[in-house]
Amino acid sequence: VSPAKRTTTPTLEEVAAAAGVSRSTASRVVNGSHLVSESVRAAVSAAIEQLNYTPNRAARSLANRQTMAIALVVPEDTTRVFADPYFAAITQGISRVLAETDYVLTLHLGASEKTQRYLRTGNVDGALVVSHHSGDHGLADLGGTLPVVFGGRPIDSASVTSYYVDVDNAAAAGAGTRHLIESGRTRIATIAGPADMPAAIDRFRGWTAEIEGAGLDAARVTRGDFSMSSGVRAMRALLAAWPDIDAVFVASDLMALGALSVLREQGIRVPTDVAIVGFDDIAAAAEPDTQLTTVHQPSLEMGEEMTRRLLRLLRGEAIEHAHIMETTVVVRRTA
Amino acid sequence: VSPAKRTTTPTLEEVAAAAGVSRSTASRVVNGSHLVSESVRAAVSAAIEQLNYTPNRAARSLANRQTMAIALVVPEDTTRVFADPYFAAITQGISRVLAETDYVLTLHLGASEKTQRYLRTGNVDGALVVSHHSGDHGLADLGGTLPVVFGGRPIDSASVTSYYVDVDNAAAAGAGTRHLIESGRTRIATIAGPADMPAAIDRFRGWTAEIEGAGLDAARVTRGDFSMSSGVRAMRALLAAWPDIDAVFVASDLMALGALSVLREQGIRVPTDVAIVGFDDIAAAAEPDTQLTTVHQPSLEMGEEMTRRLLRLLRGEAIEHAHIMETTVVVRRTA
DNA sequence: CTGAAAGCGCTTACAG
DNA sequence: CTGAAAGCGCTTACAG
């Protein structure tokens, strides 16, 4: 049978036969075992190459109880969340590090009964859960069932025992706010995020602490839902309630973009009249026409780090429960 | 062993024992075979329930040569594409119909050698490929290896034999342009998409045909890359080159949003001075502060339809190669 | 360092 | 309608 003609995938058995060794030995070289002589390794490698052999995943999983699959679960399945650049970047990071391994990624939008059962019943070796919202739909104790690392601090009771990577949202928001204070602004407002999201809560706390610490008035507050249009509404509301504001710390770049469009529309100069600091540093923030000053959050790297940590957990290594990544204030044109 | 205490998953063997039947019979009821008596079915079902049995996927795949997995591949892996609301909606649709089946979705960003090999060596039962760009990185003949349905017409040679769902981009763009013409506009520009993307090419063609058909001037053209910031740049360019324009058909909502912000900034009234029609109908288009008139494309439904079609292919049913979905012009405030 | 053998948990002809 | 048996393609003690 010429390799070009065969339609069915070659098996380990055939590789072994071609190399003149046993199936066990062929298996050992496929798996990089050290107890194989150099000559045998070469022969088997040649056979693998020649037959274009790829191990059958199902057979492998069945035999060694590893699936070589890891799940990416996004508990909330609204389009808004999924289209979030932050989420896109995290997924990118996850995909990037997984690409260098033999693991495959399964995608789960929502945390349905079916998904939970899938996760708990040995179909994946581990899970990555990315969620902005607090309501983790019963995913809290998932970590007790299989290795899990969360993107963002989980708000639930199990958080002390869960693994997660995050930034220090309060400190980061504080730094962004401080930039405004240090540049002489005194009537600094904030457009906060949803009151039920840990990241939003922490950023708001960071802003408040910094404002009060500077002896300024922390009353100029409004909220959005992290979307651009909510930023538009929030900015209008802010302007209506406190026409005197000279700066605003916005809890997400998308909302900041919305806020900027309102200021532009109303002919309010940025940063001369009102300075704006965002949060995230999405790609759009760096655009020549935007040049948004913002708190940089390493989203893609967070995805990479989550994945690397999960991989370590899968190798049986011990890691700390929390991994906090660095943020920086990126000063551009709006503040 | 009480079911509550056991840590290992029960096997079919155990279910069979508990029900007092053979493994074969237990397997038959798990798989809904008709050749099982009612009483036996009941007994096995009870055992399954009681033991909380879930079939082992690996064992099942190995035995019946089905993986019950389908791949979602996004050939280009830039953050920009992945954060695209259109893509997010499609994925949502895919996920939604798959949720009602036993299939799981694997996610592949980029079309690396590794991914291609994965797809071609029997690790999934079928694939869904979503791509805006033409350069499908060798995915063209993927359909010869396993069932595949594309989101968007593939531009490559294999397209006549591939399955895809799409909209009639030329006709849809024509309809959007016609809306502008019929409302009395005469100096109608367009912000087109990338010259290497089938959807962009077709939309531009649709605009051109309609403009020329009405005896108008089809010279007012500029291009973006479908991103909001490119819309900003394109709108500025348009205004600089042809200050007389009274309308613009924009090939994507994201670009239209950018264009609108420029008009707002320059104090140009919409739609009084310049009317705008977008394409996609993303969530942001319907926002109270935007109210963008646009060509609605059923993105989520396209994802659903792609998936349903792939499922049919997997069942061995015959389907047409192309499935074209309806678009409509949604008239809001900008035109 | 290498091989024979058992086993992973299912499905599916084949008989009956 | 039901069961015994073979087989899916691997891995992994166990001997040697």
Side-chain angles (χ1 to χ4, degrees):
Chain A
V1 190
S2 83
K5 303 256 335 181
R6 63 173 309 150
T7 161
T8 161
T9 298
T11 69
L12 226 209
E13 189 74 57
E14 305 181 61
V15 169
V21 300
S22 73
R23 208 191 322 140
S24 321
T25 298
S27 175
R28 290 192 188 95
V29 356
V30 168
N31 293 293
S33 164
H34 280 247
L35 332 108
V36 181
S37 69
E38 219 20 85
S39 61
V40 165
R41 179 187 313 287
V44 175
S45 298
I48 288 175
E49 174 74 21
Q50 196 234 113
L51 296 175
N52 194 21
Y53 170 74
T54 313
N56 177 306
R57 278 185 168 248
R60 205 175 232 192
S61 294
L62 186 55
N64 71 4
R65 272 109 205 329
Q66 281 189 222
T67 63
M68 293 312 277
I70 92 162
L72 168 56
V73 7
V74 188
E76 54 257 78
D77 69 340
T78 69
T79 302
R80 188 176 71 65
V81 171
F82 194 57
D84 188 327
Y86 165 78
F87 174 74
I90 288 229
T91 303
Q92 202 92 161
I94 292 171
S95 175
R96 189 171 295 187
V97 354
L98 245 30
E100 294 160 7
T101 73
D102 284 327
Y103 284 94
V104 353
L105 227 213
T106 62
L107 180 64
H108 308 265
L109 265 35
S112 66
E113 250 311 312
K114 195 191 141 203
T115 293
Q116 301 228 28
R117 182 160 240 269
Y118 183 81
L119 297 176
R120 293 179 199 282
T121 171
N123 291 295
V124 293
D125 294 339
L128 258 12
V129 2
V130 181
S131 165
H132 264 155
H133 288 273
S134 59
D136 272 344
H137 307 292
L139 250 34
D141 61 327
L142 190 60
T145 322
L146 83 171
V148 175
V149 3
F150 289 85
R153 173 172 59 80
I155 211 176
D156 46 62
S157 54
S159 65
V160 280
T161 60
S162 342
Y163 297 94
Y164 67 89
V165 351
D166 204 348
V167 294
D168 185 336
N169 281 292
T177 305
R178 204 172 319 124
H179 174 71
L180 256 12
I181 295 173
E182 287 170 354
S183 60
R185 309 290 168 159
T186 56
R187 295 177 305 279
I188 307 174
T190 189
I191 296 178
D196 63 345
M197 291 174 57
I201 294 169
D202 292 351
R203 290 174 200 171
F204 179 58
R205 192 154 48 75
W207 172 83
T208 306
E210 204 63 39
I211 292 293
E212 292 181 342
L216 299 176
D217 182 4
R220 300 176 178 84
V221 178
T222 185
R223 282 191 189 282
D225 63 8
F226 278 167
S227 72
M228 188 171 353
S229 54
S230 76
V232 169
R233 283 189 293 273
M235 191 68 231
R236 290 200 209 289
L238 233 35
L239 256 15
W242 300 280
D244 66 342
I245 58 179
D246 62 7
V248 18
F249 169 71
V250 190
S252 87
D253 282 355
L254 241 27
M255 293 198 295
L257 259 28
L260 282 174
S261 75
V262 170
L263 294 171
R264 219 176 317 167
E265 180 183 71
Q266 304 202 358
I268 297 173
R269 292 165 303 170
V270 175
T272 315
D273 301 329
V274 173
I276 297 283
V277 169
F279 199 111
D280 278 339
D281 197 19
I282 61 177
E287 286 295 331
D289 300 295
T290 304
Q291 288 293 314
L292 177 67
T293 292
T294 188
V295 178
H296 174 81
Q297 166 171 231
S299 313
L300 191 142
E301 291 79 6
M302 288 170 80
E304 294 183 330
E305 193 59 36
M306 286 172 64
T307 313
R308 277 192 224 104
R309 287 177 169 262
L310 181 59
L311 256 20
R312 279 198 223 137
L313 243 25
L314 294 181
R315 272 187 239 113
E317 300 174 20
I319 62 176
E320 323 90 86
H321 284 277
H323 179 74
I324 305 302
M325 300 191 72
E326 291 295 311
T327 56
T328 51
V329 176
V330 180
V331 179
R332 287 196 271 248
R333 276 208 312 249
T334 63
Chain B
V1 190
S2 84
K5 302 257 333 182
R6 65 173 309 150
T7 162
T8 163
T9 299
T11 68
L12 226 210
E13 188 75 59
E14 306 182 60
V15 169
V21 300
S22 73
R23 208 191 323 139
S24 320
T25 298
S27 175
R28 291 194 186 94
V29 358
V30 167
N31 293 294
S33 163
H34 280 247
L35 334 105
V36 181
S37 70
E38 222 17 87
S39 61
V40 164
R41 179 187 311 287
V44 175
S45 299
I48 288 174
E49 174 75 21
Q50 196 235 113
L51 296 175
N52 194 23
Y53 170 75
T54 313
N56 178 307
R57 279 185 168 248
R60 205 175 234 193
S61 293
L62 185 55
N64 71 4
R65 271 115 203 326
Q66 280 189 225
T67 63
M68 294 311 276
I70 92 161
L72 168 56
V73 7
V74 188
E76 56 257 76
D77 68 340
T78 69
T79 302
R80 187 175 69 65
V81 170
F82 193 57
D84 189 326
Y86 165 78
F87 174 73
I90 288 228
T91 303
Q92 202 92 161
I94 291 170
S95 175
R96 189 171 295 186
V97 355
L98 244 30
E100 294 159 8
T101 72
D102 284 328
Y103 285 94
V104 353
L105 226 213
T106 62
L107 179 64
H108 308 266
L109 264 35
S112 66
E113 251 310 312
K114 194 190 141 203
T115 293
Q116 302 228 29
R117 182 161 239 270
Y118 183 81
L119 298 176
R120 293 180 200 282
T121 72
N123 292 296
V124 293
D125 294 339
L128 259 9
V129 2
V130 180
S131 166
H132 263 155
H133 288 272
S134 59
D136 272 344
H137 308 291
L139 250 34
D141 60 328
L142 190 61
T145 321
L146 82 171
V148 175
V149 3
F150 289 85
R153 173 172 59 82
I155 211 175
D156 46 60
S157 54
S159 65
V160 279
T161 60
S162 343
Y163 297 94
Y164 66 90
V165 351
D166 205 347
V167 294
D168 185 337
N169 281 292
T177 305
R178 205 173 318 124
H179 174 72
L180 256 11
I181 296 172
E182 287 170 354
S183 59
R185 309 288 168 159
T186 55
R187 297 177 304 279
I188 307 174
T190 188
I191 297 179
D196 63 345
M197 291 173 58
I201 295 168
D202 291 351
R203 290 174 200 172
F204 178 58
R205 192 154 48 75
W207 173 82
T208 306
E210 203 64 38
I211 292 294
E212 293 180 341
L216 299 176
D217 182 4
R220 299 176 180 85
V221 177
T222 186
R223 281 191 190 283
D225 63 8
F226 278 166
S227 72
M228 188 171 354
S229 54
S230 76
V232 169
R233 283 189 292 273
M235 191 67 231
R236 290 198 208 291
L238 233 36
L239 255 15
W242 300 280
D244 67 341
I245 58 179
D246 61 7
V248 18
F249 168 72
V250 190
S252 86
D253 282 355
L254 240 28
M255 293 198 295
L257 258 29
L260 282 175
S261 74
V262 170
L263 294 172
R264 220 175 316 166
E265 180 183 71
Q266 305 203 359
I268 298 172
R269 291 166 303 172
V270 176
T272 315
D273 301 330
V274 173
I276 299 282
V277 168
F279 199 110
D280 279 339
D281 197 20
I282 63 177
E287 287 294 331
D289 299 295
T290 305
Q291 289 293 315
L292 177 68
T293 292
T294 188
V295 179
H296 174 82
Q297 167 171 229
S299 314
L300 191 142
E301 291 79 6
M302 288 171 80
E304 294 183 330
E305 192 60 34
M306 286 172 64
T307 313
R308 276 191 225 104
R309 287 178 169 260
L310 180 58
L311 257 20
R312 279 197 225 137
L313 242 26
L314 294 181
R315 271 187 240 113
E317 299 173 22
I319 62 176
E320 324 90 85
H321 284 277
H323 179 74
I324 305 303
M325 300 191 71
E326 291 296 311
T327 55
T328 52
V329 176
V330 180
V331 179
R332 288 195 272 247
R333 276 208 312 250
T334 63

